[in-house]
Amino acid sequence: MPGATVADSGLPRYLQHLQHHLDPAARAAAALIEDLDDERLGWRPSPAAWSIAQCLDHLSAASRVYLAPMEEAAAAARRRGWQRRGPIRPGAPSRWFLHELEPPPRRRMRAPRKIAPMAPGARASQAAVSEEFGRQQARVRALLTAVADLDLNRARFVNPFIPLVRFTLGTGFLVIAAHQRRHLWQAARLRQRPDFPSAP
């Protein structure tokens, strides 16, 4: 999977910590699927459950949808000269949401249509799933590096799913990282099931 490791040169410590969560996510995703054929990648234990391919496709879609408004917010913050003033400090509602995202899940969250995974039964190759996840991870890390000098608590973007809610840029990065941990945990649990198909 491309771009699994990124140097932290020039990043403040709190962004290095965040980046250290993104790099293991890329490695975990690669380890989950590197030996899977298309059938095992798309296997679901029940009609209502997601496959490993769907988990990773969902994460790639979420990154695409979040990153577009985050990139616009970063550009606006740079035009306004909003320079870095300290660590990321999510507000109380954001902290609650982040807590709810962390694995193991405390309650079921329905995926918004914008980031719904591929249709059940859709064939996805290991190479295609891996490539797209790696591409979106590279975009996240590139944006994180690009905004290291900006005030991530002041710059805000419209939540792509709830237009009345605005997240800070800092919270956006934390949401992406927590969301990845949630669904990589879900995918890993699939592989641990005793009825997961064995290698041919």
Side-chain angles (χ1 to χ4, degrees):
M1 186 169 294
T5 304
V6 175
D8 295 322
S9 176
L11 289 178
R13 186 175 299 275
Y14 61 91
L15 292 187
Q16 290 183 28
H17 177 74
L18 180 54
Q19 195 150 38
H20 287 159
H21 283 281
L22 295 171
D23 288 345
R27 292 192 294 270
L32 274 169
I33 67 174
E34 61 185 356
D35 63 337
L36 297 183
D37 57 21
D38 293 357
E39 181 179 352
R40 298 170 77 209
L41 190 64
W43 179 83
R44 296 182 298 143
S46 72
W50 285 3
S51 66
I52 292 174
Q54 286 177 301
C55 289
L56 295 186
D57 182 61
H58 171 65
L59 291 179
S60 296
S63 292
R64 286 194 300 270
V65 170
Y66 260 94
L67 284 170
M70 287 175 67
E71 289 165 346
E72 292 175 4
R78 191 165 301 284
R79 289 194 302 269
R80 293 164 179 158
W82 291 350
Q83 296 300 299
R84 185 176 75 217
R85 293 188 177 182
I88 297 170
R89 296 185 299 276
S94 294
R95 291 196 303 271
W96 173 85
F97 182 59
L98 289 164
H99 178 73
E100 290 296 301
L101 281 177
E102 290 290 351
R106 294 157 186 82
R107 63 187 180 93
R108 185 183 180 93
M109 294 183 179
R110 186 176 181 85
R113 183 173 297 182
K114 288 182 180 180
I115 57 172
M118 64 182 70
R123 302 288 287 185
S125 71
Q126 188 258 25
V129 171
S130 175
E131 181 179 352
E132 181 59 18
F133 185 81
R135 181 183 299 115
Q136 297 308 320
Q137 283 295 89
R139 285 184 64 200
V140 175
R141 290 192 301 268
L143 182 59
L144 186 66
T145 300
V147 301
D149 61 331
L150 297 178
D151 187 342
L152 303 185
N153 296 307
R154 188 176 183 184
R156 292 178 176 269
F157 65 99
V158 175
N159 184 304
F161 310 113
I162 310 174
L164 295 179
V165 174
R166 293 169 64 85
F167 278 160
T168 66
L169 267 181
T171 294
F173 285 114
L174 295 175
V175 165
I176 288 173
H179 187 235
Q180 290 180 353
R181 289 190 291 272
R182 180 187 184 94
H183 289 289
L184 289 172
W185 178 90
Q186 177 185 0
R189 294 271 292 184
L190 274 174
R191 288 211 61 162
Q192 293 164 6
R193 290 179 60 100
D195 53 346
F196 188 78
S198 56

